[in-house]
Amino acid sequence: MNAAERMLLDRPLRDLAVDELMASTTLRRPSFYVYFKDRGELMLALLDRLQDKIIGAGRPWFELPAGSTREDAVAALSASLHEVTEVFAEHGALILAVSEAAVMDEKVEAMYRGVTIQALMDAVERRLAAERRAGRSTVTSVRETAAALVLLNERYSSERLGRPPRQAPVKVSRVLRDIWVATVYGTPPAAP
């Protein structure tokens, strides 16, 4: 699995050949099939390893304490987006490969879109609803805004950090922060 993630740094999933993958390890091609039926199962195993990290990156904002100020909320959102960007900086090629595999493999799609992405959308929806109740946000379509923001994050981060030429994570994080803060709180954040 480590060899697969390393190889995905340099090539798209479609170019990941089992023969070449196994040649980069101390194992032979038949060994791959002891652990995985196909590349889809490999992607599921890799996603399983990464799923908690992806979802957990949003915790500073998702778990914002009651009684927080708008400034606290913006700071927590910024911290969460920074953490998300760090996950993509480290594993963006793998996340992009999983996203690509989801198009071709129903099991990968069910796990990635149906579990990982949906869990993020649900968490963002809950936070947006809490921000509305607290009077810090005027977002009207909470569910759809959550979906739009999560999908924007996933695609933009994958494109900018998952394939060469990779951008600086801090630049990606700032762009996402500006979009999220303006959308959720109605004004752009103060310049860093």
Side-chain angles (χ1 to χ4, degrees), residues 57-79:
R59 283 200 179 99
W61 190 56
F62 297 156
E63 298 174 359
L64 188 67
S68 296
T69 65
R70 181 186 186 281
E71 292 73 26
D72 295 335
V74 170
L77 175 57
S78 297

Side-chain angles (χ1 to χ4, degrees), residues 6-94:
R6 280 192 306 274
M7 291 181 84
L8 289 167
L9 288 171
D10 302 323
R11 69 191 74 193
L13 176 62
R14 69 179 173 271
D15 295 340
L16 181 68
V18 173
D19 286 335
E20 192 176 355
L21 172 62
M22 297 312 289
S24 72
T25 71
T26 58
L27 304 172
R28 295 177 180 236
R29 179 186 172 93
S31 297
F32 178 88
Y33 297 103
V34 169
Y35 299 100
F36 309 106
K37 184 176 89 176
D38 54 24
R39 290 186 312 172
E41 284 192 3
L42 171 63
M43 291 294 104
L44 284 171
L46 287 165
L47 175 59
D48 186 57
R49 232 171 45 164
L50 190 57
Q51 191 163 338
D52 288 341
K53 206 179 247 191
I54 293 170
I55 295 169
R59 283 200 179 99
W61 190 56
F62 297 156
E63 298 174 359
L64 188 67
S68 296
T69 65
R70 181 186 186 281
E71 292 73 26
D72 295 335
V74 170
L77 175 57
S78 297
S80 288
L81 291 169
H82 174 76
E83 291 299 317
V84 168
T85 303
E86 290 299 314
V87 171
F88 273 89
E90 185 178 351
H91 302 286
L94 171 58

Side-chain angles (χ1 to χ4, degrees), residues 123-135 137 142:
V124 171
E125 181 181 0
R126 285 190 299 275
R127 182 78 256 151
L128 287 175
E131 293 303 287
R132 276 188 56 87
R133 286 190 304 276
S137 180
V142 172

Side-chain angles (χ1 to χ4, degrees), residues 113-114 117-130 132 139-151 180:
R113 300 257 178 251
I117 297 297
Q118 190 60 54
L120 289 168
M121 287 179 186
D122 293 345
V124 171
E125 181 181 0
R126 285 190 299 275
R127 182 78 256 151
L128 287 175
R132 276 188 56 87
V139 168
T140 54
S141 182
V142 172
R143 184 170 189 74
E144 288 306 307
T145 300
L149 288 170
V150 169
L151 294 173
W180 279 68

